[in-house]
Amino acid sequence: ILPLKTIDEVSEDVEKWASQKKEELENLRRNEAFRKEFLLNLSHELKTPIFAVQGYIHTLLDGAIEDPSVNKMFLKNATKNIDRLCRLIDDLDEISKLESGEMTINKELFVIQDLIKDVFDTLSLKANQKDIKFSIKKGCEAPVYVMADKEKIRQVLINLIENSVKYGKPDGQTIASIYNMDGKRVLIEISDSGIGMAEEHLPRVFERFYRTDRARSRDIGGTGLGLAIVKHIVEAHDQTINVRSKVDVGSTFGFTLELGKEN
Ligand code: ADP
């Protein structure tokens, strides 16, 4: 025969059950609010370039096509907006894969400095256009092996280093530093001498579509999804990312990775 529960025990069970349900409901509400905000942002992000393309085409059809002083420029601007739409769709694809848990992390051993140099090469044209110098910090050159998904970490580095150029001041620099943290992890930091960000933005920059300056981000071709993608990838490796920044001085994004056994 099972012992009967006391009234106190039963009421404790009921309270536990009720607080669990309350938490579930709160989670659902929060998710719903996130979903609504995401859709609202997304439709706005899609509309802006589409309306711009529509505007240029209408103006051309209304006669501007005959005017050689503007017709090429309007077509170029339309193309720029279409490029932005394509980038947005690529980033959305990436985000939805990451969020649906479809992403698999295929870890391999590699030297992080080699990957950083590779990404510096990929982005050198953009950096040259603003006279921004790329370098690895003095003292951080000795090869450090990490255990991570190389292609995903390449994406992380591309997004961070590309931002350091986009938000970097002309004639400035981007410096990558590598630190051994505790014998198990390495910290990789990407620092720029750019426009920086005010303290109040820092907790939110990894949110989808969050920007400190919407117009500036759009102008320079941003989708507002780059850092959200970065955070997803780093967290899928069970690692962490953070940022510190000072307006008009620059920003430093730092993320950790698992140290490889070869070190
Ligand atoms: P975006 O496509 O707008 O660059 P991100 O997700 O990459 O989107 O970045 C979000 C926002 O964080 C940017 O719009 C910008 O306001 C800010 N930000 C990101 N990186 C930097 C940086 N290195 N310096 C200053 N601001 C930055």
Side-chain angles (χ1 to χ4, degrees):
I1 300 173
L2 287 171
L4 280 177
K5 280 192 171 179
T6 64
I7 299 271
D8 277 354
E9 282 170 339
V10 172
S11 74
E12 206 176 288
D13 282 354
V14 170
E15 267 168 37
K16 225 188 255 166
W17 179 84
S19 90
Q20 205 178 329
K21 286 289 149 200
K22 196 172 149 224
E23 205 182 307
E24 278 173 23
L25 196 66
E26 268 165 19
N27 274 343
L28 276 176
R29 284 211 185 104
R30 216 177 358 245
N31 284 346
E32 179 64 10
F34 269 135
R35 200 185 60 85
K36 272 194 187 143
E37 197 193 327
F38 178 67
L39 285 179
L40 209 72
N41 275 324
L42 177 59
S43 72
H44 185 76
E45 295 300 327
L46 288 169
K47 271 184 209 158
T48 314
I50 289 174
F51 286 168
V53 172
Q54 204 176 29
Y56 288 121
I57 291 176
H58 279 311
T59 316
L60 284 166
L61 289 176
D62 282 349
I65 200 155
E66 314 291 351
D67 181 350
S69 68
V70 292
N71 56 10
K72 267 214 181 106
M73 186 181 70
F74 284 179
L75 282 172
K76 258 194 202 150
N77 287 348
T79 312
K80 223 167 94 181
N81 279 281
I82 290 173
D83 288 346
R84 225 181 69 208
L85 264 177
C86 293
R87 262 199 311 276
L88 181 61
I89 288 164
D90 283 346
D91 280 357
L92 279 170
D93 255 1
E94 186 78 20
I95 278 265
S96 73
K97 261 191 239 145
L98 295 172
E99 292 190 351
S100 67
E102 266 176 47
M103 175 176 54
T104 45
I105 299 290
N106 298 311
K107 287 190 184 174
E108 60 180 298
L109 200 62
F110 61 92
V111 173
I112 189 69
Q113 284 93 338
D114 292 347
L115 188 63
I116 294 173
K117 282 183 208 149
D118 243 27
V119 174
F120 280 166
D121 282 347
T122 311
L123 297 172
S124 64
L125 210 71
K126 282 185 184 168
N128 285 344
Q129 283 166 355
K130 282 179 87 171
D131 281 325
I132 290 178
K133 303 265 175 306
F134 286 153
S135 64
I136 290 188
K137 193 177 171 166
K138 276 212 173 73
C140 297
E141 301 95 344
V144 173
Y145 282 89
V146 294
M147 191 66 187
D149 188 316
K150 191 173 176 183
E151 288 318 304
K152 300 244 162 39
I153 299 303
R154 184 191 301 277
Q155 188 63 57
V156 165
L157 288 168
I158 288 179
N159 290 7
L160 293 180
I161 296 170
E162 199 168 31
N163 277 353
S164 77
V165 175
K166 283 195 310 195
Y167 303 104
K169 290 187 200 147
D171 239 357
Q173 50 179 335
T174 297
I175 303 175
S177 324
I178 301 102
Y179 305 102
N180 187 331
M181 287 182 74
D182 48 11
K184 288 190 191 122
R185 285 175 304 160
V186 247
L187 172 68
I188 293 125
E189 286 192 337
I190 306 295
S191 302
D192 63 54
S193 51
I195 58 169
M197 288 173 272
E199 189 76 29
E200 80 245 29
H201 295 298
L202 302 185
R204 300 201 59 193
V205 287
F206 296 103
E207 288 175 22
R208 298 176 299 197
F209 295 127
Y210 187 85
R211 286 126 152 173
T212 62
D213 182 338
R214 202 164 275 268
R216 188 202 302 254
S217 156
R218 284 227 192 81
D219 247 22
I220 53 186
T223 64
L225 294 173
L227 288 180
I229 291 174
V230 163
K231 186 165 191 264
H232 264 299
I233 295 177
V234 172
E235 288 182 349
H237 280 77
D238 291 323
Q239 299 292 333
T240 54
I241 178 150
N242 60 52
V243 56
R244 50 183 199 274
S245 188
K246 218 170 186 172
V247 173
D248 263 347
V249 178
S251 310
T252 297
F253 285 83
F255 64 98
T256 59
L257 284 180
E258 184 186 331
L259 193 59
K261 291 236 168 16
E262 248 58 6
N263 291 289

